[in-house]
Amino acid sequence: MTTAPVLDPALAARLTRTPDGLVCAVVQQYDTREVLMVAWMSDEALARTLATREATYWSRSRQELWIKGATSGHTQAVREVRLDCDGDTLLVLVDQQGAACHTGDHTCFDADVLLSAGGAS
């Protein structure tokens, strides 16, 4: 039986969480900076991500931890994690293998363009 990683108390003190104890995580491809998805992290999810470099998130719908790609094979190897100035958002830079979106799209932002550089979609 392995012990779950524990978030460093100094880092935990810097986080500004939602009322349900979560921090927003914006996930980008590390080399292109393409935004792949947005997810949520609990303290345990962040601690596991930092310890293992496997992107681990909190599923608000299932109310449980999930490792990106554990069932789909579309994994995220974490290259870097940054905390924003307010402590309420994480930037997770990953090497994405396969689709990032649960729909099978490359990113969660492929489907609906509301406004483009040339005007309306």
Side-chain angles (χ1 to χ4, degrees), residues 79-99:
R79 296 293 189 101
E80 191 173 315
V81 178
R82 296 177 181 215
L83 181 62
D84 82 334
C85 58
D86 295 323
D88 63 359
T89 305
L90 297 161
L91 178 61
V92 183
L93 302 173
V94 303
D95 185 9
Q96 177 71 47
Q97 298 300 312

Side-chain angles (χ1 to χ4, degrees), residues 33-95:
R33 297 300 201 247
E34 179 179 28
V35 178
L36 300 172
M37 58 183 267
V38 173
W40 295 92
M41 287 187 166
S42 62
D43 284 11
E44 184 178 356
L46 178 56
R48 286 178 183 268
T49 297
L50 295 174
T52 66
R53 292 187 173 263
E54 290 181 304
T56 305
Y57 304 106
W58 178 257
S59 170
R60 295 181 299 168
S61 60
R62 295 187 312 268
Q63 293 291 296
E64 65 184 16
L65 291 171
W66 58 281
I67 298 171
K68 181 68 175 165
T71 57
S72 68
H74 300 164
T75 60
Q76 293 176 341
V78 178
R79 296 293 189 101
E80 191 173 315
V81 178
R82 296 177 181 215
L83 181 62
D84 82 334
C85 58
D86 295 323
D88 63 359
T89 305
L90 297 161
L91 178 61
V92 183
L93 302 173
V94 303
D95 185 9

